[in-house]
Amino acid sequence: MNSIAGTLAQVASDLRAVLSDDGVAGLAEGERAEVLRGFGEVSRLVDAGIVETVATADVEFGHRFGCRGMNELLQRALLTDAPSASKIVKAADLVHRDMNIVSGERLPARWPALREALLDGAVEIAGLLAATNPIEYARTRIGVDERLWADEVLASHARGSSGWGDSAAGDDPADGGAYAAATGVDADADSAGPDADADADIDGDGAGADVGTDAAGPPATADDLRQLAAALAMILDPDGAEPTDRDAQQGRFLNLGRLHRGAHRLAGSVTPEVAAQLQVIFDAFNNPKVGGAPAPGVTFTEAGTGGDADAAGDEFNTDPRNVIDPRTPGQKRHDALAAVLGIAARHEDMPTLGGAAPTLVVHVDAKDLAAGTGWATVPGSGAPVPLSVAAHTACTGAIQRVLFDEGRIVGITTTDRVFTVHQRRAIIARDRECLIPGCHVPASWCEIHHVTEHARGGPTHTDNGVPLCWWHHRSLGNSGWEVRMNAGVPQIRGPAWWDPTQQWRTPRLSAPSAPARHTVLRT
């Protein structure tokens, strides 16, 4: 066994001993933080050792051990997965040093300063890739001197130095100004010479601290390096926006995956402006208080009672357990997208499909719909869905009955059950928000729910319609919330965890003595 392998075996043995006596579990908080930092340093040095071992091997190394290449060898030797092995190979390419065929000496790496930081344990594989990816992306448009300058800056940042040190491009005032713009540190002091800033006071305390590589700060994380590298890439490649945009346009895509466990995976890459538009839409749906708290909120009174005195002490206007909306942020974004698609499909500017607006179609057997049992199918997806999905879809749309006789269509009837635009405006003016307490999605974004189902004789009338956001409409059948109309006034009965008394309560606006609301229509 060679000395390096023996040393590693001893390190592994020592670490195994540390972990075997359950000493980590008994650490105090301060000691635990120190141990984490220590393990972090060991982890970075292990990364450096793995990368350097791969970087100094020849291209046939993996083949000689019966593997298809270095990636497979790494998977087997390190017991890791293919993506992790690929990152190691990529990092090794960045710090690989070619051999001088004349002298046999190794030439400098493509990123020499970052290689030294890697070997010193100042940066790990993720940090190395984060620091180099933005500049490697524009490598054909960035010169060697500029890249080496960025290498010095990033390595210094990784070590926690606020200065940028000497570099191949360090004497160029434009470069110094570029770095100042990217990091907020004036690089002119360094470029002017080692003594030019001896009296500089960066803290304002008269200490005359030197602005340079000796001004230590906290080491940079991988995200810190990524942000700085992106800023440097923009400086070094000021014309890179156009080719970057062309790449983004060329690489944009959206794929709707196959059905898996009852859901479809949505994957793709969208351009920045589309992502930004989606984000503000998500914010609008999922953060209705961005512009301030809704005015007013929702409170409840006993059915048939009035007056504002009851509102002040209404114990049902709180949610101490935070269980009214148990969705994750990702689930909320999904539901916001579902609502957006429904609004877009109804919009007058939406192109028609077969002479009609793009319409979600759900197939269900009439007997199953009447009985409330069975399955429905979504033709565009081919997925079987619960009957509740068909009921949800039918509640805000139309039902078209198709009668078959041994495969032949012998009858078609259509029942329109869509609230008119005028009815929607009136319901929005009355209720203002999703009817479920604690949900402040504006009524204009909601679907209008038939309180008494249309299939059971419920009319498409303002006395039978209430606004429910997509999620609460979709889950109404099994969420425990109930809705009824009392002389045209909506009432709510919540689940037992929310209201142990299970009383019907009338949602109303919490503004005291709210005047009668009128809707003014402009044409």
Side-chain angles (χ1 to χ4, degrees):
M1 181 179 293
N2 61 50
S3 59
I4 295 179
T7 300
L8 292 175
Q10 183 60 51
V11 171
S13 177
D14 292 343
L15 285 175
R16 198 173 288 112
V18 167
L19 298 173
S20 63
D21 62 359
D22 210 23
V24 173
L27 292 173
E29 286 190 357
E31 294 175 319
R32 191 177 301 275
E34 288 295 328
V35 167
L36 279 177
R37 281 192 286 268
F39 276 127
E41 183 177 9
V42 171
S43 176
R44 292 191 297 274
L45 289 171
V46 169
D47 273 0
I50 292 172
V51 170
E52 183 71 0
T53 302
V54 175
T56 53
D58 60 66
V59 294
E60 296 296 325
F61 181 71
H63 297 158
R64 288 195 291 273
F65 287 85
C67 297
R68 289 171 294 179
M70 184 62 76
N71 191 295
E72 182 183 347
L73 178 61
L74 288 172
Q75 292 181 57
R76 297 184 182 279
L78 304 179
L79 303 183
T80 189
D81 58 1
S84 298
S86 296
K87 292 179 180 178
I88 294 172
V89 173
K90 185 175 181 181
D93 288 340
L94 296 171
V95 299
H96 169 73
R97 293 173 297 160
D98 288 325
M99 191 78 71
N100 187 314
I101 59 175
V102 177
S103 65
E105 297 179 346
R106 291 193 179 273
L107 301 174
R110 177 172 175 82
W111 295 87
L114 280 171
R115 174 181 175 273
E116 291 299 323
L118 178 73
L119 297 181
D120 288 345
V123 66
E124 88 284 42
I125 292 174
L128 176 64
L129 296 179
T132 56
N133 279 343
I135 298 174
E136 285 290 319
Y137 176 73
R139 62 186 300 171
T140 59
R141 302 185 297 274
I142 294 178
V144 174
D145 288 346
E146 294 171 317
R147 170 168 48 80
L148 292 176
W149 170 76
D151 177 43
E152 291 280 354
V153 171
L154 290 163
S156 178
H157 194 53
R159 296 177 187 276
S161 173
S162 63
W164 64 299
D166 297 329
S167 69
D171 294 330
D172 188 344
D175 287 339
Y179 176 67
T183 65
V185 176
D186 186 0
D188 290 339
D190 270 328
S191 61
D195 300 323
D197 56 357
D199 297 328
D201 181 7
I202 61 173
D203 296 322
D205 58 1
D210 182 38
V211 183
T213 55
D214 293 333
T221 66
D223 284 338
D224 295 335
L225 292 171
R226 181 181 294 107
Q227 293 178 13
L228 176 57
L232 295 179
M234 292 174 61
I235 294 167
L236 298 176
D237 183 28
D239 298 325
E242 287 300 323
T244 299
D245 182 66
R246 287 196 297 269
D247 289 346
Q249 295 292 337
Q250 187 66 25
R252 75 190 191 282
F253 76 98
L254 192 64
N255 285 341
L256 188 61
R258 294 182 179 180
L259 183 68
H260 178 65
R261 295 186 177 181
H264 293 263
R265 179 174 292 276
L266 191 67
S269 292
V270 298
T271 57
E273 67 272 19
V274 174
Q277 181 66 72
L278 273 175
Q279 187 60 57
V280 296
I281 290 174
F282 291 154
D283 290 344
F285 273 92
N286 298 328
N287 298 283
K289 295 185 179 181
V290 167
V298 179
T299 58
F300 296 86
T301 58
E302 297 290 345
T305 64
D308 296 315
D310 296 334
D314 188 357
E315 61 181 344
F316 296 99
N317 196 28
T318 61
D319 181 26
R321 294 174 55 197
N322 294 312
V323 289
I324 285 181
D325 191 348
R327 295 172 296 166
T328 66
Q331 291 170 337
K332 289 181 179 180
R333 288 190 290 270
H334 168 278
D335 299 346
L337 181 60
V340 168
L341 294 176
I343 294 172
R346 295 193 300 266
H347 197 275
E348 60 183 7
D349 291 339
M350 176 63 69
T352 60
L353 187 64
T359 304
L360 172 64
V361 178
V362 180
H363 291 173
V364 61
D365 188 277
K367 296 179 181 178
D368 291 341
L369 184 62
T373 60
W375 289 85
T377 58
V378 182
S381 166
V385 295
L387 200 66
S388 59
V389 175
H392 174 203
T393 304
C395 185
T396 56
I399 292 181
Q400 177 175 307
R401 291 179 171 85
V402 181
L403 182 62
F404 295 95
D405 183 10
E406 297 183 354
R408 180 187 177 192
I409 299 175
V410 296
I412 300 176
T413 59
T414 301
T415 303
D416 193 355
R417 56 198 297 167
V418 180
F419 286 89
T420 68
V421 63
H422 305 292
Q423 290 173 319
R424 284 185 60 88
R425 286 171 179 159
I427 292 171
I428 290 169
R430 180 191 67 200
D431 298 325
R432 299 195 64 182
E433 297 178 330
C434 174
L435 202 67
I436 302 300
C439 181
H440 299 297
V441 173
S444 58
W445 297 348
C446 292
E447 300 174 342
I448 305 301
H449 167 65
H450 286 78
V451 177
T452 301
E453 296 179 20
H454 193 278
R456 301 182 184 278
T460 303
H461 189 278
T462 54
D463 283 350
N464 192 44
V466 296
L468 293 176
C469 71
W470 183 90
W471 164 248
H472 283 121
H473 197 185
R474 176 75 160 74
S475 62
L476 187 63
N478 55 21
S479 64
W481 294 99
E482 298 177 77
V483 182
R484 76 176 185 183
M485 302 298 288
N486 182 12
V489 178
Q491 293 183 329
I492 285 285
R493 182 161 65 184
W497 63 259
W498 183 79
D499 181 8
T501 64
Q502 296 283 275
Q503 298 184 47
W504 286 101
R505 302 180 181 276
T506 303
R508 63 174 177 80
L509 301 179
S510 60
S513 304
R517 185 172 300 280
H518 301 280
T519 300
V520 179
L521 304 180
R522 293 182 175 87
T523 58

